Amino acid sequence: MSAVAETTDRPAALVAGASSGIGAAVARRLAARGHAVALVGRREAELKEVAESIRTGGGTALPLTLDLAEPGAPAEAVAATAAALGPVGVLVCSAGAIRLAAIHETEERHWERQVRVNLTVPFLLAREVLPGMRERRHGWIVNIGSGVGSEVVPGSGGYGVSKHAVERLTELVHEENRDLGIRAVTVAPGWVATRLAARPADLGVPEDEVLDAEDIADTVAWLLDRPARMSVGPLVRVEPTASRAAAGDAMTRHLTRARAEGAGPIAKESR
């Protein structure tokens, strides 16, 4: 898409990590609500599939193939979105990197990767969009955290630390900007059936007891529909009802199973 999107009453949205899972579901939901959406991620083919599904439904989508962990990429993503769709009024950070290991087993490069993707990228994106939001006195910043960020789960390593830290980042953004019409929320899901998570069948949990990406997209849409006078969060936890599908317990069983099978650190990325 090369032309600027047609003006609507919905501000342009930028979704980081939009090629699959929660990010893709949120991007589709925002487009269905009337937002022109920039889809940012590393996997070009998958981004284009999500963008095409949005366009088929009558929405506006701009796929941007970028590795947001690279220097300058967050600024490039925001600038490209503004040029094509207008200023970013909704920022959703769903990009994630996970490598589960005990602290003494965590390599420095793996620690730095997770902190970069899970914490520094949301910071850099927020820093790019906040000046415009403050000037317009309106905006939403939604960071996708994790239930593990609110619990101490041995073996969660840099993932657990970075997801905990992004909650504090969101709190700071919220407090510093709440009187300027800007709301910031961390949506912290429990076990969601995505490529980053363990498969329910591997842990003896029925698929229908685990959340899916649409549940989180529903939550984000609900947040955006709150009246301007209402503040929700800045931490919103969304957990499965079943206790055996709780985030901390599921991750502990996942790690125990992997160690019993002699597997090394569990590493995945969704960007």
Side-chain angles (χ1 to χ4, degrees), residues 20-267:
S20 64
I22 292 172
V26 170
R28 292 188 181 102
R29 187 61 54 85
L30 293 179
R33 288 168 45 88
H35 299 270
V37 184
L39 316 172
V40 188
R42 295 185 306 164
R43 297 189 293 271
E44 182 176 11
E46 292 182 42
L47 279 180
K48 288 182 176 179
E49 287 181 9
V50 178
E52 186 57 33
S53 71
I54 288 173
R55 292 169 184 155
T56 299
T60 300
L62 174 70
L64 297 171
T65 306
L66 292 168
D67 183 347
L68 288 168
E70 292 296 319
E76 182 180 348
V78 172
T81 302
L85 306 178
V88 176
V90 177
L91 170 65
V92 180
C93 297
S94 185
I98 180 170
R99 192 174 184 91
L100 302 178
I103 293 299
H104 70 280
E105 298 173 325
T106 302
E107 296 183 27
E108 182 177 358
R109 62 192 178 96
H110 297 149
W111 176 276
E112 291 179 348
R113 184 76 172 177
Q114 291 172 99
V115 171
R116 179 75 182 178
V117 174
N118 299 340
L119 177 62
T120 303
V121 165
F123 154 69
L124 292 172
L125 287 169
R127 189 178 67 169
E128 289 296 321
V129 302
L130 275 169
M133 289 181 176
R134 289 169 64 90
E135 182 179 347
R136 295 186 299 275
R137 301 185 70 86
H138 185 270
W140 272 99
I141 294 177
V142 180
N143 292 316
I144 304 300
S146 170
V148 175
S150 299
E151 304 176 32
V152 179
V153 180
S156 62
Y159 180 76
V161 171
S162 58
K163 288 299 186 179
H164 182 70
V166 84
E167 293 177 9
R168 178 52 56 88
L169 169 66
T170 307
E171 290 170 343
L172 284 169
V173 172
H174 172 75
E175 289 299 328
E176 292 171 358
N177 297 281
R178 62 186 299 176
D179 291 330
L180 295 173
I182 299 163
R183 287 172 284 182
V185 179
T186 297
V187 175
W191 190 355
V192 183
T194 69
R195 66 175 59 177
L196 279 183
R199 294 188 306 170
D202 290 343
L203 299 182
V205 175
E207 187 82 31
D208 60 3
E209 289 188 4
V210 178
L211 301 176
D212 61 33
E214 295 299 331
D215 294 323
I216 310 308
D218 287 343
T219 303
V220 173
W222 180 85
L223 286 168
L224 298 184
D225 279 338
R226 294 312 89 204
R229 66 180 180 276
M230 181 185 293
S231 175
V232 180
L235 174 64
V236 174
R237 293 196 62 172
V238 185
E239 288 277 357
T241 301
S243 61
R244 62 181 172 181
D249 181 61
M251 182 172 286
T252 298
R253 286 185 287 128
H254 185 39
L255 286 164
T256 300
R257 180 176 181 271
R259 288 172 180 144
E261 294 176 350
I266 300 168

